[in-house]
Amino acid sequence: VTTSGTSVDFTGIPSTATRITLNFNGISTNGTSVPIIQLGDSGGVETSGYLGNTGSIFAAPVATSYTTGFALDSATAASVRYGTMVLNLLNAATFTWAAIAAIANVPGAVSSLTAGPKSTSAVLDRVRLTTVGGADTFDAGSMNISWE
């Protein structure tokens, strides 16, 4: 799916999914807000309660934490992102998922790692790509999703 607008939603994820893989190919935005992944269920996309953090590895390492979603990276300006995020179901009874991602930012020499958990209020059936604050527009790139 080509990324455009302020968010990209993937719906229809089956209740039997225990692993979801998101692949990012040249994702960028028109602003400086960090792209994030949010999880959702039949009640909608959840915008709070995310734990964990993102660490960028470059000349001056940066670590950030967001409670509104799983960040793709810590870079904020002129970044084009390539990489993968995997969501694994940790506990079906509490709808708890763990995210892990490895993202490269081009043209800069920056790589980012993200990890953390999130419990949804019901069975996960959707995933959203947006930005912190949700106002920046995706202006390039594509992504795909698969599950097992």
Side-chain angles (χ1 to χ4, degrees):
V1 171
T2 301
T3 54
S4 63
T6 57
S7 66
V8 178
D9 289 347
F10 291 92
T11 59
I13 298 170
S15 61
T16 55
T18 58
R19 175 177 290 173
I20 300 166
T21 303
L22 304 163
N23 295 301
F24 308 98
N25 181 26
I27 301 280
S28 72
T29 69
N30 67 346
T32 60
S33 189
V34 173
I36 58 174
I37 293 295
Q38 296 175 323
L39 311 182
D41 53 42
S42 59
V45 173
E46 299 193 9
T47 59
S48 64
Y50 295 81
L51 303 174
N53 53 55
T54 300
S56 290
I57 304 162
F58 57 97
V62 175
T64 56
S65 262
Y66 298 101
T67 59
T68 57
F70 296 122
L72 294 191
D73 58 28
S74 298
T76 58
S79 291
V80 179
R81 297 149 179 101
Y82 297 86
T84 299
M85 178 178 284
V86 176
L87 304 166
N88 286 303
L89 182 61
L90 291 179
N91 186 323
T94 60
F95 315 112
T96 303
W97 292 80
I100 186 164
I103 306 293
N105 298 315
V106 177
V110 180
S111 294
S112 298
L113 302 174
T114 297
K118 167 68 174 141
S119 294
T120 56
S121 57
V123 174
L124 182 139
D125 69 356
R126 66 197 71 198
V127 174
R128 171 176 286 170
L129 170 69
T130 188
T131 59
V132 174
D136 289 357
T137 300
F138 291 95
D139 58 8
S142 62
M143 67 179 286
N144 63 47
I145 186 171
S146 62
W147 52 78
E148 49 190 281

